[in-house]
Amino acid sequence: MRVTVIRNADIVVAWDKDSQSHIYVKNADVAFENGKLTYVGTGYAGAADTEQDGRGFMVMPGLVNIHSHPASEPLNKSILDELGSPGLYNSALYEFMPIIRPDAEGAEAAWKVAYAELLKSGVTTLADLSVAHPSWIDLAGQSGLRVCITPMFRTARWYTKNGHVVEYEWDEAVGEKAMAQALEMVDAAEAHPSGRLFSMLCPAQIDTCSEGLIKESYAEAQRRKIPWQIHAAQSTVEFHEITRRHGVSPVQWLEQLDVLGETSIVSHGIFLDDYPRNSWHTRRDLDLLVETRTAVAHCPTVFMRRGIAMRDFGRYLRAGVRLGIGTDTYPHNMLEEMRHVGYVARMMAENPRTVTSGEIFTAATVGGADLLGRDDIGRLETGCNADLVLVNLAHPMMRPGYDPIRSMIYAAAERAVDTVYVGGEKVVEKGQCLTIDFEQAAEDLHAAQQRTVQRAPQEDWAKRPVTAYAPHSFSGLA
């Protein structure tokens, strides 16, 4: 097989076994063959079929995004930015998100837009939480990404008839059928010829899944030795609903179902029993997450839009909670998400020292890899997959460059991402996605959003046009 060498990179973010940490290595080389890293360090003297000049670049591991909704979220752009139900604690989950949904064609465009955005922001591995769709596996395979196919399924749908009460329509048969379809998607992912697709099980939300579906899906994930993820502690509405039904917090309900553990991921995990607005009487949830080694997928952007935030990322880290980072919403820009992780944590803690950029970068790389049960991604170490990113250190937004990781997270973001490899295959070059026609996908998504806006009143309890709850910034577009 052909050996590719990136030679004389100004900086390589390498993995140090002794400290179990990323470290900066100056003037270093990175070599890979057959999709695997064969050398990371200085003075590479081995064979080289292809050489890339690394001068002026930082080589870093590809980012690992553990929670994302590519099939739906890109279509919400410019509609949900300032939208939340005042009668439902400013969440948009229950009244508006069921209305603003893409059709089948729009979902394909959304996937392509999200996948391209992720690649362009340095993501090489993605946990894709979507619903079963006949084109999903093909789109994931064509993207060039390493995709954890995570089909969501549930027993009930939520809805509101008045904007301040959430109701649930239950159907056990629908939940069982959806889980069966999810397992078929999981099997297809694991058998994909690219070798880049793997899987996770995801009963969608703690409040929309029956006790049986939650326990059954967890048992199936354990049997298959794959991770398991569920949305929980993600809203005030959900916290009140679970305490009303069961008399315990969402995290404690998962404990009673015996589904917390090292292979379990709680999506969001914001509304713990000590969250101030909950005013609950126990203070056990954070300790439960630590004791059971249950992980949390942290996605600050979607919540900060509505004045909601985890309390706080640094506190969870210091307690010993295993954490990864996901984009969840549009734009699917992992570097901007990492910036928001830092800013929101410091604001909530009222302390600029609550979390460091190194800790954020670690959560977005080896942290996410650990949550997905992978030790071959998220780090630049011999034997790992050749999933790597070249960042242009000479980009004006990277200057001055006292600390390149901080310059990338807090200033340059995706603008400085030049080249991305997944499994040794180049998928981004000079900032352009090679596997997806990003511009055409964006145009297709725009058309899909227009179709959604036209049919939205039919899905709305109040039969309102979208402009009634998401007015334009200025008059003149109606």
Side-chain angles (χ1 to χ4, degrees), residues 124-323:
T124 53
T125 297
L126 165 72
D128 181 344
L129 281 66
S130 297
V131 294
H133 185 288
S135 300
W136 185 3
I137 296 294
D138 288 340
L139 289 168
Q142 293 162 12
S143 72
L145 280 158
R146 199 175 299 283
V147 182
C148 181
I149 298 293
T150 310
M152 295 186 295
F153 47 92
R154 61 185 187 177
T155 322
R157 72 174 185 94
W158 56 41
Y159 64 95
T160 180
K161 295 177 182 177
N162 54 24
H164 64 268
V165 175
V166 175
E167 300 184 51
Y168 297 82
E169 182 179 70
W170 293 89
D171 192 323
E172 292 282 351
V174 166
E176 291 295 331
K177 181 179 179 181
M179 180 172 158
Q181 290 176 331
L183 292 173
E184 291 176 4
M185 297 291 295
V186 163
D187 290 337
E190 298 285 353
H192 195 268
S194 71
R196 288 183 284 98
L197 307 189
F198 59 115
S199 58
M200 176 163 52
L201 283 184
C202 182
Q205 298 96 13
I206 190 173
D207 50 333
T208 63
C209 292
S210 67
E211 176 179 340
L213 194 71
I214 291 174
K215 296 174 74 171
E216 182 184 354
S217 63
Y218 180 76
E220 184 64 26
Q222 293 290 99
R223 187 182 73 80
R224 291 171 176 258
K225 295 182 170 56
I226 60 176
W228 181 88
Q229 185 165 174
I230 188 168
H231 290 81
Q234 71 167 332
S235 77
T236 303
V237 169
E238 175 220 280
F239 189 92
H240 290 330
E241 180 67 20
I242 297 300
T243 57
R244 182 190 66 80
R245 291 181 197 171
H246 307 296
V248 293
S249 72
V251 169
Q252 290 167 41
W253 176 235
L254 293 175
E255 179 204 22
Q256 290 186 12
L257 297 180
D258 198 24
V259 296
L260 297 180
E262 193 160 5
T263 60
S264 298
I265 304 170
V266 171
S267 306
H268 308 312
I270 293 173
F271 291 89
L272 304 186
D273 59 357
D274 66 355
Y275 200 75
R277 74 165 64 171
N278 290 338
S279 299
W280 195 243
H281 63 92
T282 64
R283 295 292 182 273
R284 295 184 56 222
D285 288 0
L286 194 66
D287 289 341
L288 273 176
L289 294 173
V290 175
E291 291 164 10
T292 60
R293 291 190 51 75
T294 300
V296 170
H298 182 47
C299 313
T301 302
V302 70
F303 293 97
M304 61 188 277
R305 286 190 183 126
R306 295 171 183 94
I308 300 168
M310 173 186 278
R311 195 186 135 255
D312 69 275
F313 191 81
R315 181 176 79 105
Y316 282 54
L317 270 182
R318 288 188 295 278
V321 178
R322 297 163 60 231
L323 289 160

Side-chain angles (χ1 to χ4, degrees), residues 1 8 29 145 243 256 273 366 393 421 450 453 474:
M1 301 298 290
N8 296 320
D29 307 323
L145 280 158
T243 57
Q256 290 186 12
D273 59 357
V366 289
L393 295 175
Y421 290 90
Q450 290 179 314
V453 168
F474 303 104

Side-chain angles (χ1 to χ4, degrees), residues 111-133:
W111 256 306
K112 291 178 182 178
V113 165
Y115 284 164
E117 288 179 344
L118 289 160
L119 285 167
K120 286 161 66 71
S121 67
V123 170
T124 53
T125 297
L126 165 72
D128 181 344
L129 281 66
S130 297
V131 294
H133 185 288

